[in-house]
Amino acid sequence: MDAHVAHTAVEAVKAVGDSGTKLQDLAWAVLFFPLVCALGTLLFARKDRMLAVGFNIGGVVLSFLLSFVLFAVYGGQRIDCTPFQWLPLEGLNATMGLHLDGLTTVMLLVVTGVASLVMIFSTGYMKDDPGYCRFFMTLSLFVFSMLGIVLADNLVMLFVFWELVGVSSYLLIGFWHEKPSAGDACKKAFLTNRIGDFGFMLGILLVWAACGTVNIGGIELAIAKDPHVLGATASLAGLLIFMGAMGKSAQFPLHIWLPDAMEGPTPVSALIHAATMVAAGVYMLCRLFVLYTVPAAWPASLDFLGGLNAATVISWIGGFTALLAALIAIQQNDIKRILAYSTLSQLGYMVMAVGLGAGLATPNPSAGMYHLVTHAAFKALLFLGAGAVIHACHHEQDIWKMGGLREKMPWTFATFGVGTLALVGCPLFAGFYSKDAIFATALESNPVLFGLAVAIACMTTFYMCRLVIVTFFGSARTESADHAHEVAGSMKWPLVALAVPSLMIAWLPLGDFLAGHFDAHYHSHGGDVLFGPFNHNALAAFFGLFAFMLGVSAAFAVYWGRSKDPLPAKLGQLSRAMRNKFYFDEIYEAIVVPVHDAAAAVADWLDRWVIGGLGVRGVTGVADFAGRALRLVQTGSIQTYTFLFAAGVVVVALLALK
Amino acid sequence: MITSLLLTPLITALLVLCIPGTLRVPIRLVAVLGAALTAWKALWLFVATEPGMAGLQHEQLVPWAAVANFSIAYHVGVDGINIGLIFAAAFVGFAAVCVSWDIERQTKLYYVLLLTIIAGAIGAFASLDLFFFYFFNELALVPTFIMIGVWGRGAEKTQAAFKITLYLTLGAMLALGGLIALYVQSGAGSLDVVELQKHLAAHPLPRATQLWLFPLLLIGFGTLVGLFPFHSWAPEGYAAAPTATAMMHAGILKKAGLYALIRVVWPFLPDGVAAWLPLLLLLSLGNLIYCGFVAMRQKDLNLLLGNSSLAHMGFAFLGLASLTTIGLSGAVLVMVAHAFLAALGFALSGFLFARTGTLEMARFGGLLQRLPFIGAMMIACFMAGCGLPGFANFAGEVAVLFGAWKSTGAHLQWMVVAAAWGGLIIGAVYMLRAIRQVLHGKLSPEWKQLDEFRTAEELPAGEVEGHEASTAGTTLTWVLHSALGGTLWSYWRRMPYALLLILLIIFGFAPSILSTRIEPAVKEIVKAATHTSAQPAAPTPAAVAAH
């Protein structure tokens, strides 16, 4: 651990030292291209579809190309770009500065890459929508905010863009604002995120008060110098910061917004609620990982928590979220909701992996980050595939009303298949390798969570195969499914483009690259990348393989050739609970909302009747009395006024001369 | 420079007075041009105020009345604390004049009063003599009472006008009593802030005097700001006020109380501040949380905005209470940012009221479909209202949170927790509910015909008042309208809203424009305000070691 931190510190200093070269300032262009394009659309292309598409796709693709340049030039180097002043106050030097390293450049490529493909897909998907230009503009705004999170070199800037991502997500979930359900969903998403941000802000304050800086490099330095610098608040600060991730990455108990967020257009779900925004929490945990490597410490009032580590709590919350979501996903029938719960479950995986990574002999969260990258590719692919299916079936989303789409939409089927195989962890596909990294981490760090992770992997395979079997195999069960056609090229090619990394990204030494970022002394396990898992930790790899095979066989046994879900009858009450998301929405609505509303009602009553009522009556009374008293002197005669005026002057003069 | 800025709206008001009341369009044009010139001069003054410099700039001192050792002088000047407010006063004033284009009744009087308010506000912030500060503040306040009475809206406008007048007059009287007492007790023989500062630095007031003087001034000035529990005038007053008055009052005039607290009370009464801090914290908690909860319950958009603006003032009070440079700078930033925010909010609700005749949120729904521009503005404004980064409010609020967190005061960190809860969550709850109720969802059939900026029908509905009187005005507007062309005309009608939002965004993206000017000035204030006479006799480490 010390070695890692010391290395971080040395690199941070070095990076500040050689900031003479200015090529890294290209990162500013990466960040601002999408914003400029969004503004251009707002000002010049609110009606012109071609121009709007050109602006926004152009901007994001340019960002992607520049990110690639940055990646090619700097690779894993740690470099700071020239910052500019944002809120320079003594003691709080909140700048806007960008930081580049292996982690950020990989994330830049993920965000801009997926965003470009999603935007191209949207040109077809949103073709008939009257809000076409607004859609692209808001997407660009989102990309800008997301890139800000990725590049931010300090906590205040991170928080700024954190919130901006929240609002772009709000605007996109509520894109069809005339739908009441969309209006409710975007409100819910924003408010839930805000609860997380509340904790995040307090966590930032704690860290700042302890380290004296909000700069992430500075915090790393301070902790490297003295791991106890956070004092008694170390674990609390870690957990409060994690609350931010809990909101964005939809971890229990703030997970309730993500499924509802599917009210937004499907490309939005693919980009924001699968690949990027929801992964921001995991990314942030990796970026601030140093906070989770410090020894546990609690303030006196929380002493009973003793040696409980923030990272341990995080790993359990992640594991629980993953389990919960996987269980719910098994009994959902809406194609987008199944994918949404699968996203939740995978996010739980990543969060768990980051938490477990802190418990390794050499703390390293790279397994979670690795899964984030592969997941971005295959989950965006799955969502876009689902979008193509929904588009082809005239906005039908119930998988039991589809069926037999394999022959009618061969391209969609093939790419969706690749995405599914990647997600369920079929060997050779990307998900197998990143999941294996998580298994290996868990096995080393916490065997109980390892068991849980394997069980969840099994469920994942089960519900994803259920989805594919019911949607694409068998025969069409409704007319709209019968009339489905393969989608147009603008929607087909992005699917193909995403299928490539879903299959092959793990063939690159990406996992080693990320692991090396967090641990300078990391050594690859040698051998061929494709067989890496078995060289690394054969037990974990075999369990992954076993979970995959078990899930596939179970799904085929239960669903092959069925036109109705047999599980509700078998599971009874449990199935209903799963279908109703274990009633979390209902529980919250019964507790959280009434508490706030009751407080508001009391305050309003007080305001109306006590402060407003009595207060005003009291003041009125005084004024009335004063009026009567004054009427005595208000005689209307000039002499009286002159006298009073003179008396006043005398009083003032006397007081002055005293 | 400042004097010419101050005189511009006054001279414009005089010019307007000379135009016959029936010629509404010339009246409007002159008023708009005058307000624009004021804004231009304020911008110039802002740019000419050097950032990073402590002390007053562009100072001007004209002795005015001196009796024995009692003197009043016209003394104006700017530093970081007031330059932002003067700038805001001029720009919000300009926007307020522009959105008032549709005023048909007693147009002349309306504009004269509005321009007087602008002049009074600028004068109050620029004055460094307490007599003139008070005079200008009253000059701005009195017309607001008249405007609510004459052009107010709603059934309870008389009641509201009565209430706001009563509260603010009583508050101002308390403050006046406090100021006179301060003058007398200081023995400086001057009402000049600079002189008083010098004098009090050398001869601080006795602690006992400060202790009774402080609450007098705090409650007096606090009432002007809407400090809990002296706040109930604000929401009702704003709901009843005509749009421009609500904009000016909520945006600008309210800040005069806070400004006086920063400029006078904090540096002059350090012992008082230290002793009464717990009370102030308790009261600002009332603003932050209690007013937020009250806002959650409101069914009327204007009452919601009024309560939310009180909640924002809680941040300013918390920043003041932090007694740190970061916190106080944040408080000043909040004051400036909130000026644009409140003005924009009331301008938009005023637009809605003018078009629909109601502000009852339950009756709306889906309005974004009919009002794309105003609706988008509203979403932006409400988002800014719940502290979204990118808008100026966030910069101020976050600085307040950081400042208060670092403060040595007792319980300040719990206050920060409460403020963060109030700002991030309660604020978001009522703002998002309002968006959901008013703008999102199904469009009710009642508003199917609602239009944003009608190009042809934009002509004033002169028939209501008296046909003959308005013909000239109608014709002229028509001429203007055709000269500008429909599109340009609708751009012009959108301009004031866009202007306020752009200012919010500029200061949100680059708060350093303000903060580099604010910080040096605030540092002096903090130095004076923390220089208490009764330093707690804490044993120094050396003394402890000796024992």
Side-chain angles (χ1 to χ4, degrees), chain A residues 86 90 177 184 194 607 616, chain B residues 231 386 424 436 441 519 523:
Chain A
W86 185 68
E90 204 178 272
H177 52 76
D184 291 336
R194 266 294 167 96
D607 210 51
V616 175
Chain B
H231 65 275
C386 55
L424 281 170
R436 173 72 186 83
E519 198 183 10
K523 237 180 222 167

Side-chain angles (χ1 to χ4, degrees), chain B residues 226-296:
Chain B
L227 177 63
F228 174 86
F230 311 102
H231 65 275
S232 68
W233 57 268
E236 285 173 44
Y238 298 151
T243 303
T245 316
M247 285 168 74
M248 282 308 288
H249 202 293
I252 306 297
L253 301 187
K254 213 183 189 182
K255 313 294 185 303
L258 280 169
Y259 174 70
L261 288 179
I262 295 181
R263 182 69 96 195
V264 178
V265 183
W266 255 237
F268 294 177
L269 305 175
D271 290 334
V273 177
W276 287 97
L277 206 57
L279 176 77
L280 176 64
L281 286 179
L282 204 65
L283 298 187
S284 60
L285 200 62
N287 278 71
L288 283 165
I289 301 288
Y290 173 91
C291 289
F293 275 132
V294 175
M296 265 174 74

